[in-house]
Amino acid sequence: MRPNLHCLGIRLSTALLCFVLFPLFGPGTSHAAKAELSESVLAKISVEGLKRVQEDAALRGVRLKLGDVVSRESTRMLLGDVWDTGFFKDVRIEQELKDDGVHLYVVVKEKPSVKTVKYEGYKELSKEDIKGVVDVKPFTILNAKLLKQNATKIRNLAVEKGYFLADVDFKVETNKEGDDWVDVVFVIHENDKVMVRQITFIGNENLSDDELKNSIQTREGGVLSWFTQAGTYNEEFFQADIYRLQALYYDQGFVTVNIAQPRASISSDRRHIYLTIEITEGERYRIGDIGFSGDVELRDDASEMIVDEKRLRKKLSVEAEEYFNRTKLFGDIQKITSVYQDQGYAYANVTPNSRIDKENNRVHLDLNIDRGNLVYFGRIEVLGNTRTRDKVIRREMRVVEGDKYNASKLNASRARIFQLGYFENVNVTTERGNAEDVVDVKVEVSEKSTGTFQIGAGFSSVENFIATAQISQNNFLGRGQLLSVSAQLSFGEFGRQLAYLQFQEPYFYDTLWSFGFNAYITQRYYRDFQRNAKGFSPSFGYPITPDLRLNGGYTLEEIQISTDLQANNSGPALYNLNRGGLNSAVNMNLSYDTRDNRLFPTKGQYHVLSAEVSDAAIMADAEMAYRRFRLSMRYYHPIVWDFVLKLNSSFGLIYGGDYGVPISERFFPGGIFSVRGFEPRGLGPTMPVLNKNDPYGPTSDFTVGGNKEAIFNLEIEFPILAAAGIKGVLF
């Protein structure tokens, strides 16, 4: 006991709750003195016995404040508040009267801390998945309530994985370091997965069992369920399936459908579950009258009509007398809402007030429009970009601070930022700004790797030593520029030197003009000859519309053709085609691009119409003169399971001068970039040539390429390792 201590002691422990009332004063204390103490005010609270818990944390929820009157009831309340923190296994309170008032001492004994968290008994569940749902962490105070919550989380995870009968418990073991530390062990018994043996529908007269089963996620198990996991019961998914069934009926016109709570029964061996769903379909309804009310008409500042009922009706896909379809109706509501949002009414709301006519089986619709007030864009904030500069993202935005709100432009901004190919995800959200008529825009991006670096060396029986190096960055220095450098060096009889430099600036000096530059030393192998070239090619471009772009450029290159044929056994026509020289050409192309991602598109279109002219008037050798025209059309469409349908067609036409079209510029389809399944650049017309200088000797076919081409491709692209960007193609 403390000196001169007049103590009211209250103790609360995990084993026993007891209240011990000590005499307020020693023998001989007057009743007046007792009254004086009982009415004394609180001067100080202190906590004793703390080791790891901070005093502020121990007193965080205390309701008794300095200056309050100390009584038996208030002291009991103080003890309860400290106990409720969950940090202590024993709490008692002592009090002492001093000149400045009552001093309360909270004497505690801390609960042990968690040293390690362990998991036992799991076999099929992943430890990483288990740790992902558990929030009991080492070096925190032991909390029994939290342990129970985490055991439930682990069981929910097991149920989600199909272990519907899983049991999860926990135990606390003393750690070898002493009583102040414990190990928490979660004991997991997965038990067998429960498979759906049968799904039975009762009362479905208009929709077949197959239609209903195909609309839900839960599936019946089959012979291969042990391998495919199809048919595994998931309670959460099955509850969501009830809403899917209801939505299916609504889309078929059954607006009064009622789906009772499903019944489930488990087989005697507790391995299979049987599900029964009872449906009351009701009558099938058609759409009756469709009307508009509320803020239908909208005029601009010049009092010109920009929105009226006639324009709104053109947005509707639902029509009177067709069967009611809730999905189509909600889609139409979104279209109408967007009309107003594109005029600046960000909070426009369209409410479908429906009236059911049971006598005629009709649903009459009244689309009530509340356009709200005009809203303007406030601050535009870019988040998540650690490498990419803000301006690279901001210049793709189709909205500007201070503009009227426009939902379509906001969606287009997100699409253009994602099309850059620099980000895994792009999320554009709005929130209320510093005024009721202002919304701030947040652009949150998640960056991904946009560069590659490769270096290698090896030996070949043909080229002896080979060294290669390549560095490519699609977002150079975070400026949105493309820079690629590659080189290959080999030695020996067939040694070669290859080098390539490419640079692309999409916003030249922060204007809408683009600038590109290519410089190269290349050796390209065809079936019967080799094309060697050295040159450079600058280019400029300008957007006509957000999706339509005009580009122009110039190419200057020295070309050499290498072949085993000689003039006297190839014929003059073929010999002239095989001549190289100086190529000087100007080109222009018009491109239309709506792809969702330039690097890995999943939907959209990409079309290019181009023309190229090489002529002696611009320093080209006469043998190299030609005119070339090309049209390339690509179409991308998502199918299912991240599969993408890719359609491609390309057409080409080239003609030359007196010497014909040089073989270096002719069309040679074949290979993965044109016609899969064939040798690269191996297709095209051929000419018979002598193998030796013998007019009577055998001949062989020499591929001379074509002056026209038409290629059609149909491909289905599917992911193999999505995280690594590895994909497969069916063609």
Coordinates of all heavy atoms in Angstrom, one line a residue, residues 395-396 398 416 419 504-508 510-515 540-552 589-593 598:
R395 N -2.3 15.4 -71.6 CA -2.6 15.8 -73.0 C -3.5 14.8 -73.7 O -4.0 15.1 -74.8 CB -1.2 15.9 -73.7 CG -0.5 14.6 -73.9 CD 1.0 14.9 -74.3 NE 1.7 13.7 -74.6 CZ 3.1 13.7 -74.7 NH1 3.7 14.8 -74.7 NH2 3.7 12.5 -75.0
E396 N -3.8 13.7 -73.1 CA -4.8 12.8 -73.7 C -6.2 13.1 -73.2 O -7.1 12.5 -73.6 CB -4.4 11.3 -73.3 CG -3.0 10.9 -73.8 CD -2.9 11.0 -75.4 OE1 -3.9 10.8 -76.0 OE2 -1.8 11.2 -75.9
R398 N -9.7 14.7 -72.8 CA -10.6 15.5 -73.7 C -11.4 16.5 -72.9 O -12.2 17.2 -73.6 CB -11.5 14.5 -74.4 CG -10.9 13.4 -75.2 CD -10.0 14.0 -76.3 NE -8.6 14.1 -76.0 CZ -7.7 14.6 -76.7 NH1 -8.0 15.1 -77.9 NH2 -6.4 14.7 -76.3
R416 N -8.4 7.1 -74.2 CA -7.1 7.5 -74.8 C -5.9 7.3 -73.9 O -4.8 6.9 -74.4 CB -7.2 9.0 -75.2 CG -8.2 9.3 -76.3 CD -8.2 10.8 -76.6 NE -6.9 11.2 -77.1 CZ -6.5 11.2 -78.4 NH1 -7.3 10.8 -79.3 NH2 -5.3 11.7 -78.7
Q419 N -5.1 3.6 -74.1 CA -4.6 3.3 -75.4 C -3.1 3.5 -75.5 O -2.4 3.0 -76.4 CB -5.3 4.1 -76.5 CG -6.7 3.6 -76.9 CD -7.4 4.5 -77.8 OE1 -6.9 5.5 -78.2 NE2 -8.6 4.0 -78.3
Q504 N 10.3 8.1 -81.8 CA 8.9 8.6 -82.1 C 8.5 9.6 -81.0 O 8.5 9.2 -79.8 CB 7.9 7.5 -82.2 CG 6.5 7.9 -82.7 CD 6.5 8.3 -84.1 OE1 7.2 7.7 -84.9 NE2 5.6 9.2 -84.5
E505 N 8.2 10.8 -81.4 CA 7.6 11.8 -80.5 C 6.2 12.2 -80.9 O 6.0 12.8 -81.9 CB 8.5 13.1 -80.5 CG 7.9 14.3 -79.8 CD 7.6 14.1 -78.4 OE1 8.5 14.1 -77.5 OE2 6.4 13.8 -78.1
P506 N 5.2 11.7 -80.1 CA 3.8 11.9 -80.5 C 3.3 13.4 -80.5 O 2.4 13.7 -81.1 CB 3.0 11.0 -79.6 CG 3.9 10.9 -78.4 CD 5.3 10.9 -78.9
Y507 N 4.0 14.2 -79.6 CA 3.6 15.6 -79.5 C 4.8 16.4 -79.7 O 5.5 16.8 -78.7 CB 2.9 15.8 -78.2 CG 1.5 15.2 -78.0 CD1 1.4 13.9 -77.6 CD2 0.4 15.9 -78.4 CE1 0.2 13.3 -77.5 CE2 -0.9 15.3 -78.3 CZ -1.0 14.0 -77.8 OH -2.2 13.4 -77.7
F508 N 5.2 16.7 -80.9 CA 6.4 17.4 -81.2 C 6.4 18.9 -80.7 O 5.5 19.7 -81.0 CB 6.6 17.4 -82.7 CG 8.0 17.9 -83.2 CD1 9.1 17.3 -82.7 CD2 8.1 18.9 -84.1 CE1 10.4 17.7 -83.1 CE2 9.4 19.3 -84.5 CZ 10.5 18.7 -84.1
D510 N 5.3 19.8 -77.9 CA 4.0 20.0 -77.2 C 3.0 20.5 -78.2 O 2.0 21.2 -77.7 CB 4.2 20.9 -76.0 CG 5.0 20.3 -74.9 OD1 4.9 19.1 -74.8 OD2 5.7 21.0 -74.2
T511 N 3.1 20.2 -79.5 CA 2.0 20.6 -80.4 C 1.3 19.3 -80.8 O 1.7 18.2 -80.3 CB 2.6 21.2 -81.7 OG1 3.4 20.2 -82.4 CG2 3.5 22.4 -81.3
L512 N 0.3 19.4 -81.6 CA -0.4 18.2 -82.1 C 0.3 17.4 -83.2 O -0.1 16.3 -83.6 CB -1.8 18.6 -82.6 CG -2.8 19.1 -81.6 CD1 -4.1 19.5 -82.2 CD2 -3.0 18.1 -80.5
W513 N 1.4 18.0 -83.7 CA 2.3 17.3 -84.7 C 3.1 16.2 -84.0 O 3.5 16.4 -82.9 CB 3.2 18.3 -85.3 CG 2.5 19.3 -86.3 CD1 2.0 20.5 -86.0 CD2 2.3 19.0 -87.7 NE1 1.5 21.0 -87.2 CE2 1.6 20.1 -88.2 CE3 2.6 17.9 -88.6 CZ2 1.3 20.2 -89.6 CZ3 2.2 18.0 -89.9 CH2 1.5 19.1 -90.4
S514 N 3.2 15.1 -84.7 CA 4.1 14.1 -84.3 C 5.3 14.0 -85.2 O 5.3 14.5 -86.3 CB 3.4 12.7 -84.4 OG 3.1 12.4 -85.7
F515 N 6.4 13.5 -84.6 CA 7.7 13.4 -85.4 C 8.3 12.1 -85.1 O 8.3 11.6 -84.0 CB 8.7 14.5 -85.0 CG 10.0 14.3 -85.6 CD1 10.3 14.5 -86.9 CD2 11.1 13.9 -84.8 CE1 11.5 14.4 -87.5 CE2 12.4 13.7 -85.3 CZ 12.6 14.0 -86.7
F540 N 6.3 12.9 -90.3 CA 5.5 13.8 -89.5 C 4.1 13.4 -89.6 O 3.7 12.7 -90.6 CB 5.6 15.3 -90.0 CG 6.9 15.9 -89.7 CD1 8.0 15.9 -90.5 CD2 7.1 16.6 -88.5 CE1 9.2 16.5 -90.2 CE2 8.3 17.2 -88.1 CZ 9.3 17.2 -89.0
G541 N 3.3 13.7 -88.6 CA 1.9 13.4 -88.6 C 1.0 14.4 -87.9 O 1.5 15.2 -87.1
Y542 N -0.3 14.5 -88.2 CA -1.2 15.4 -87.6 C -2.6 14.8 -87.5 O -3.0 14.2 -88.5 CB -1.3 16.7 -88.4 CG -2.0 17.8 -87.7 CD1 -1.3 18.6 -86.8 CD2 -3.3 18.1 -87.9 CE1 -1.9 19.7 -86.1 CE2 -4.0 19.1 -87.2 CZ -3.2 19.9 -86.3 OH -3.9 20.9 -85.6
P543 N -3.2 14.9 -86.3 CA -4.6 14.3 -86.2 C -5.7 15.2 -86.8 O -5.8 16.4 -86.6 CB -4.8 14.3 -84.7 CG -3.9 15.4 -84.1 CD -2.8 15.5 -85.1
I544 N -6.5 14.6 -87.7 CA -7.6 15.3 -88.3 C -8.8 15.3 -87.3 O -9.5 16.3 -87.1 CB -8.0 14.6 -89.6 CG1 -6.8 14.7 -90.6 CG2 -9.2 15.3 -90.3 CD1 -7.0 14.0 -91.9
T545 N -9.0 14.1 -86.8 CA -10.0 13.9 -85.7 C -9.3 13.1 -84.6 O -8.2 12.6 -84.8 CB -11.2 13.2 -86.2 OG1 -10.9 11.8 -86.5 CG2 -11.8 13.9 -87.4
P546 N -9.9 12.9 -83.4 CA -9.3 12.1 -82.4 C -8.9 10.7 -82.9 O -7.9 10.1 -82.4 CB -10.3 12.0 -81.3 CG -11.1 13.3 -81.4 CD -11.1 13.6 -82.9
D547 N -9.6 10.1 -83.9 CA -9.3 8.8 -84.3 C -8.7 8.7 -85.7 O -8.2 7.7 -86.2 CB -10.6 7.9 -84.3 CG -11.2 7.9 -83.0 OD1 -10.5 7.8 -82.0 OD2 -12.5 7.9 -82.9
L548 N -8.7 9.8 -86.4 CA -8.2 9.9 -87.8 C -6.9 10.7 -87.9 O -6.9 11.8 -87.4 CB -9.3 10.5 -88.7 CG -9.1 10.4 -90.2 CD1 -9.1 8.9 -90.7 CD2 -10.1 11.1 -91.0
R549 N -5.9 10.2 -88.5 CA -4.6 10.8 -88.5 C -4.0 10.8 -89.9 O -4.0 9.8 -90.6 CB -3.7 10.1 -87.5 CG -2.4 10.9 -87.3 CD -1.5 10.2 -86.2 NE -0.5 11.1 -85.7 CZ -0.6 12.0 -84.8 NH1 -1.7 12.2 -84.2 NH2 0.5 12.8 -84.5
L550 N -3.3 11.9 -90.3 CA -2.6 12.0 -91.6 C -1.1 12.0 -91.3 O -0.7 12.8 -90.5 CB -3.0 13.2 -92.3 CG -2.4 13.4 -93.7 CD1 -2.8 12.3 -94.7 CD2 -2.8 14.8 -94.3
N551 N -0.4 11.1 -92.0 CA 1.1 11.1 -91.8 C 1.8 11.2 -93.1 O 1.3 10.7 -94.2 CB 1.5 9.7 -91.1 CG 0.9 9.6 -89.7 OD1 1.5 10.1 -88.8 ND2 -0.2 8.9 -89.6
G552 N 2.9 11.8 -93.1 CA 3.8 11.9 -94.3 C 5.2 11.7 -94.0 O 5.7 12.0 -92.8
N589 N 0.2 8.5 -95.6 CA -0.9 7.5 -95.2 C -1.9 8.2 -94.3 O -1.7 9.1 -93.6 CB -0.2 6.3 -94.5 CG 0.3 6.6 -93.1 OD1 -0.4 6.8 -92.2 ND2 1.6 6.5 -93.0
L590 N -3.1 7.6 -94.4 CA -4.2 8.0 -93.6 C -4.6 6.9 -92.7 O -4.9 5.8 -93.2 CB -5.4 8.5 -94.5 CG -6.6 9.1 -93.8 CD1 -6.2 10.5 -93.2 CD2 -7.7 9.3 -94.9
S591 N -4.6 7.1 -91.4 CA -4.9 6.0 -90.5 C -6.1 6.3 -89.6 O -6.3 7.4 -89.2 CB -3.7 5.7 -89.6 OG -3.4 6.8 -88.8
Y592 N -6.9 5.2 -89.3 CA -8.1 5.3 -88.4 C -7.9 4.3 -87.3 O -7.8 3.1 -87.6 CB -9.4 5.1 -89.2 CG -10.6 5.1 -88.4 CD1 -11.1 6.3 -87.9 CD2 -11.3 3.9 -88.1 CE1 -12.3 6.3 -87.2 CE2 -12.4 3.9 -87.4 CZ -12.9 5.1 -86.9 OH -14.1 5.1 -86.1
D593 N -7.9 4.8 -86.1 CA -7.5 3.9 -84.9 C -8.5 4.1 -83.8 O -8.5 5.2 -83.2 CB -6.1 4.2 -84.5 CG -5.5 3.2 -83.5 OD1 -6.3 2.3 -83.1 OD2 -4.3 3.3 -83.2
R598 N -2.9 0.1 -77.8 CA -2.1 0.0 -79.0 C -1.1 -1.2 -79.0 O -0.8 -1.7 -80.1 CB -1.2 1.3 -79.1 CG -2.1 2.5 -79.3 CD -1.2 3.8 -79.3 NE -2.1 5.0 -79.4 CZ -1.6 6.2 -79.2 NH1 -0.3 6.4 -79.0 NH2 -2.5 7.3 -79.3

